[in-house]
Amino acid sequence: MPDPRAHDILAAHGASSELRLLLQDRRGVWGALGLLRCEGAAPFSQDDAQRAARLVPALLAALRRYATGGPLCPEVPPLSAGVITVGSDHRIKAVSPQAQLWLDQWSAHAIPPWVPGAFFVSLSLVARAEARRQDGSIPLVCAPPAASGRWTTCQGQVLDADATGDVALVIQGATWDLVLPSLCEWYCITPRERDVVAQLRTGASVKQIARRLDLSAYTVNDHLKAVFRKTGADGRDELSAALTR
């Protein structure tokens, strides 16, 4: 159910109705799009929702082009983990110097200032909701290099038992075990291709990979060629660097 507070916030800013569009396909949920109508305009109808739903494939394709249009390998030096605190009033309360460096990096990549703020508040709300669930998890987002020049993670954790106080958001460079599944999803890499890519981290040769996965060397090379084509990597060295740096 929509949060009733959201209606009050929208009304205070001159919006009369909202339509939320979930960007989802068979591989999972990739994002959401919110559409607003100004005060005095007719509210969104079921026909509007159906027309908007037809845009999902095109929006997903555009989102994938954006996410995979960034550098495969990191273009910026690694940064230390930073912390952003969101208060109980759902406003950013504090930004550590290390986190500010991340924000500066995003700004350098032409990310509008309001985007990180909206993202952090949204993540803090998810962290609160998960903390209140008996089987809740700690939310973690792994973002591709298009946003900051390198794979990045942001994790939200509540700082009190009842999830009504502050939320700490930790920003840091993504580790290999998080980059691999995210990279495979964004670039539509198949499970078998992923198995082959995972072996690159060990420095294994094609013959060694073939033995470990019970495949022929020809099949391993075919999988690697498919991955290079999908990611635009010049070869295994560049692909390995994208996963380990």
Side-chain angles (χ1 to χ4, degrees), residues 5 88 90 124-137 158 160-165 167:
R5 293 174 298 178
S88 58
H90 309 301
S124 73
L125 290 171
V126 174
R128 294 180 196 278
E130 287 294 315
R132 295 187 182 108
R133 292 175 51 192
Q134 187 174 1
D135 59 345
S137 60
V158 298
D160 60 349
D162 58 3
T164 60
V167 175

Side-chain angles (χ1 to χ4, degrees), residues 123-195:
L123 185 59
S124 73
L125 290 171
V126 174
R128 294 180 196 278
E130 287 294 315
R132 295 187 182 108
R133 292 175 51 192
Q134 187 174 1
D135 59 345
S137 60
I138 297 175
L140 184 145
V141 176
C142 185
S148 63
R150 68 166 43 247
W151 288 92
T152 307
T153 61
C154 190
Q155 185 179 62
Q157 298 187 32
V158 298
L159 298 181
D160 60 349
D162 58 3
T164 60
D166 295 346
V167 175
L169 307 177
V170 181
I171 314 171
Q172 58 189 338
T175 56
W176 176 86
D177 59 320
L178 292 174
V179 170
L180 179 59
S182 295
L183 181 141
C184 290
E185 289 298 327
W186 280 115
Y187 287 91
C188 298
I189 293 173
T190 68
R192 207 49 170 157
E193 290 167 354
R194 173 177 170 172
D195 291 340

Side-chain angles (χ1 to χ4, degrees), residues 176 180 183-184 189 192-202 209 213 223-224 227 239-240 243:
W176 176 86
L180 179 59
L183 181 141
C184 290
I189 293 173
R192 207 49 170 157
E193 290 167 354
R194 173 177 170 172
D195 291 340
V196 172
V197 172
Q199 294 295 323
L200 296 181
R201 185 170 182 249
T202 68
I209 295 174
L213 300 180
H223 285 322
L224 287 174
V227 173
L239 186 60
S240 297
L243 293 166

Side-chain angles (χ1 to χ4, degrees):
M1 292 295 291
D3 189 333
R5 293 174 298 178
H7 180 271
D8 296 336
I9 294 172
L10 292 175
H13 289 80
S16 63
S17 63
E18 179 186 19
L19 175 62
R20 297 183 183 182
L21 189 64
L22 192 64
L23 303 182
Q24 182 178 20
D25 62 9
R26 61 182 180 81
R27 299 178 70 93
V29 176
W30 300 94
L33 176 66
L35 303 175
L36 302 176
R37 278 187 173 164
C38 64
E39 186 176 4
F44 287 105
S45 65
Q46 186 63 35
D47 287 341
D48 292 328
Q50 292 175 352
R51 285 195 293 269
R54 290 196 288 270
L55 297 175
V56 168
L59 292 172
L60 280 174
L63 182 60
R64 191 178 298 280
R65 284 195 300 272
Y66 168 75
T68 59
L72 184 63
C73 291
E75 288 188 335
V76 296
L79 296 174
S80 300
V83 178
I84 291 178
T85 305
V86 178
S88 58
D89 60 353
H90 309 301
R91 296 177 182 272
I92 293 177
K93 186 175 180 179
V95 179
S96 72
Q98 293 81 5
Q100 186 59 54
L101 292 176
W102 282 101
L103 296 180
D104 293 343
Q105 194 173 89
W106 293 351
S107 178
H109 281 74
I111 304 297
W114 64 269
V115 172
F119 167 71
F120 294 139
V121 172
S122 298
L123 185 59
S124 73
L125 290 171
V126 174
R128 294 180 196 278
E130 287 294 315
R132 295 187 182 108
R133 292 175 51 192
Q134 187 174 1
D135 59 345
S137 60
I138 297 175
L140 184 145
V141 176
C142 185
S148 63
R150 68 166 43 247
W151 288 92
T152 307
T153 61
C154 190
Q155 185 179 62
Q157 298 187 32
V158 298
L159 298 181
D160 60 349
D162 58 3
T164 60
D166 295 346
V167 175
L169 307 177
V170 181
I171 314 171
Q172 58 189 338
T175 56
W176 176 86
D177 59 320
L178 292 174
V179 170
L180 179 59
S182 295
L183 181 141
C184 290
E185 289 298 327
W186 280 115
Y187 287 91
C188 298
I189 293 173
T190 68
R192 207 49 170 157
E193 290 167 354
R194 173 177 170 172
D195 291 340
V196 172
V197 172
Q199 294 295 323
L200 296 181
R201 185 170 182 249
T202 68
S205 66
V206 168
K207 290 183 179 180
Q208 289 173 322
I209 295 174
R211 286 196 297 269
R212 292 174 184 176
L213 300 180
D214 194 24
L215 300 171
S216 72
Y218 296 105
T219 300
V220 171
N221 276 321
D222 285 343
H223 285 322
L224 287 174
K225 289 177 183 177
V227 173
F228 297 155
R229 172 177 51 78
K230 291 177 180 180
T231 62
D234 290 335
R236 59 180 294 161
D237 289 343
E238 183 178 1
L239 186 60
S240 297
L243 293 166
T244 58
R245 288 173 56 188

